[in-house]
Amino acid sequence: MSSSNKSTALEAQALMTTLALAAMLATVAATTGQPSLGASNTTTNLTLHNLCPYPVWPLVTANAGVPSVPTDADGDTFGRLDGHGEGLTTLVLPSGPWSGRVVARTGCTADDYDDAPPYLCATGDAPPVTVAQVSVGGPGGAAAYTILVDGFNVAIAVTPHGFAVEEGRGGRCPTLGCAVDLAAECPAGARSPRGGCGAGASAAALFKARCPDTHTNATDVEATPQDCVAPSEIKVVFCPAPDSVAAGHHY
Ligand SMILES: *[C@@H]1O[C@H](CO)[C@@H](O)[C@H](O)[C@H]1NC(C)=O
Ligand SMILES: *[C@@H]1O[C@H](CO)[C@@H](O)[C@H](O)[C@H]1NC(C)=O
Ligand SMILES: *[C@@H]1O[C@H](CO)[C@@H](O)[C@H](O)[C@H]1NC(C)=O
């Protein structure tokens, strides 16, 4: 390694240390309850609403390194959400940086809110499932959200509410996701015996064509850009209305 390469590497390392330190300080400020600057101080509610004609059992999991989501006495985040819009629930996310995933399990054996997990579900907790990824409390209060359709079981859309509109940033919080039942259109070879539509090249192309506001692989981007700051609520809707998602679908 030449000396200039070496010094570049060292600078990069120093920069990473600085960034790690800044992240640590931000975390410390958040956990000690110090008022942080501006929008980054808002807490966000995660609301789940089930418009499907069947019940879903949402599974909400925090990513590694962030606080877990609040649970009830059984250590459960949510039980069954009834269909047809009756199932509606709100979770107050921890303040500070948080990120995690929401999936909709279906066909579970547990029937009411008091039944303890683990539930036995037709979908299991493994793919193929549609995944909503949400992060809040990023730099300056940045929030980000995406729907992964690496596999598909239930149509999901994410809509932030009560977000900040600041000069030069924020205010772009479109409804993103997929309002189409991709399982119904699944190529024969990609159908999962447990229901839903599995990953695979033919399925991925279908997913992206029908739902341009989703991620179908790690490098994919949504058709509709987002720049969302400090939403007071992020709403995850199962089986959203067909016209609710930002990018239009032409049949
Ligand atoms: C940040 O949140 C804390 C706790 O809710 C509150 O006491 C404080 O006043 C807030 N600070 C700002 C700048 O909004
Ligand atoms: C990811 O998805 C996009 C959109 O469908 C596609 O253009 C791209 O080739 C995919 N990349 C990989 C590595 O599969
Ligand atoms: C968040 O949810 C809690 C509990 O349901 C509620 O008291 C609070 O008003 C909600 N906050 C916002 C900003 O909607």
Side-chain angles (χ1 to χ4, degrees), residues 44-51 81 85 87-91 93 102 132-134 136 143-147 155-163 173-177 228 231-241 244-245:
T44 303
N45 282 352
L46 181 66
T47 300
L48 307 186
H49 195 191
N50 180 19
L51 301 185
L81 286 186
L88 172 68
T89 190
T90 293
L91 229 167
L93 294 178
V102 180
Q133 284 192 316
V134 170
V136 296
Y145 48 101
T146 187
I147 302 292
I156 302 182
V158 180
T159 308
H161 294 283
F163 43 84
C173 304
T175 296
L176 297 182
C228 197
S232 62
E233 180 189 37
I234 292 181
K235 194 166 181 182
V236 174
V237 176
F238 305 116
C239 301
S244 64
V245 174

Side-chain angles (χ1 to χ4, degrees), residues 54-113:
Y54 47 83
V56 300
W57 286 256
L59 181 66
V60 181
T61 47
N63 289 347
V66 300
S68 56
V69 285
T71 56
D72 64 19
D74 296 328
D76 195 14
T77 46
F78 297 114
R80 167 186 167 133
L81 286 186
D82 286 332
H84 301 286
E86 282 167 35
L88 172 68
T89 190
T90 293
L91 229 167
V92 182
L93 294 178
S95 63
W98 189 88
S99 59
R101 297 152 63 95
V102 180
V103 303
R105 294 172 296 181
T106 56
C108 304
T109 51
D111 222 32
D112 64 48
Y113 300 96

Side-chain angles (χ1 to χ4, degrees), residues 1-249:
M1 193 189 262
S2 79
S3 70
S4 74
N5 276 348
K6 203 171 196 170
S7 80
T8 311
L10 285 175
E11 277 163 26
Q13 199 174 30
L15 176 64
M16 277 167 67
T17 309
T18 311
L19 290 175
L21 189 64
M24 246 169 64
L25 289 174
T27 309
V28 169
T31 52
T32 55
Q34 297 279 325
S36 46
L37 290 176
S40 59
N41 202 30
T42 27
T43 56
T44 303
N45 282 352
L46 181 66
T47 300
L48 307 186
H49 195 191
N50 180 19
L51 301 185
C52 299
Y54 47 83
V56 300
W57 286 256
L59 181 66
V60 181
T61 47
N63 289 347
V66 300
S68 56
V69 285
T71 56
D72 64 19
D74 296 328
D76 195 14
T77 46
F78 297 114
R80 167 186 167 133
L81 286 186
D82 286 332
H84 301 286
E86 282 167 35
L88 172 68
T89 190
T90 293
L91 229 167
V92 182
L93 294 178
S95 63
W98 189 88
S99 59
R101 297 152 63 95
V102 180
V103 303
R105 294 172 296 181
T106 56
C108 304
T109 51
D111 222 32
D112 64 48
Y113 300 96
D114 298 328
D115 286 342
Y119 302 130
L120 293 174
C121 304
T123 41
D125 298 336
V129 289
T130 320
V131 177
Q133 284 192 316
V134 170
S135 72
V136 296
Y145 48 101
T146 187
I147 302 292
L148 302 180
V149 288
D150 184 29
F152 176 94
N153 66 330
V154 172
I156 302 182
V158 180
T159 308
H161 294 283
F163 43 84
V165 182
E166 295 171 356
E167 225 170 292
R169 67 186 288 256
R172 274 212 287 191
C173 304
T175 296
L176 297 182
C178 181
V180 178
D181 181 7
L182 295 173
E185 304 179 12
C186 191
R191 275 177 214 279
S192 162
R194 291 181 301 164
C197 191
S202 59
L206 164 77
F207 294 165
K208 193 61 185 177
R210 300 291 274 132
C211 294
D213 276 336
T214 61
H215 277 232
T216 60
N217 61 51
T219 55
D220 199 4
V221 290
E222 291 96 346
T224 308
Q226 63 177 283
D227 174 18
C228 197
V229 171
S232 62
E233 180 189 37
I234 292 181
K235 194 166 181 182
V236 174
V237 176
F238 305 116
C239 301
D243 59 356
S244 64
V245 174
H249 305 279

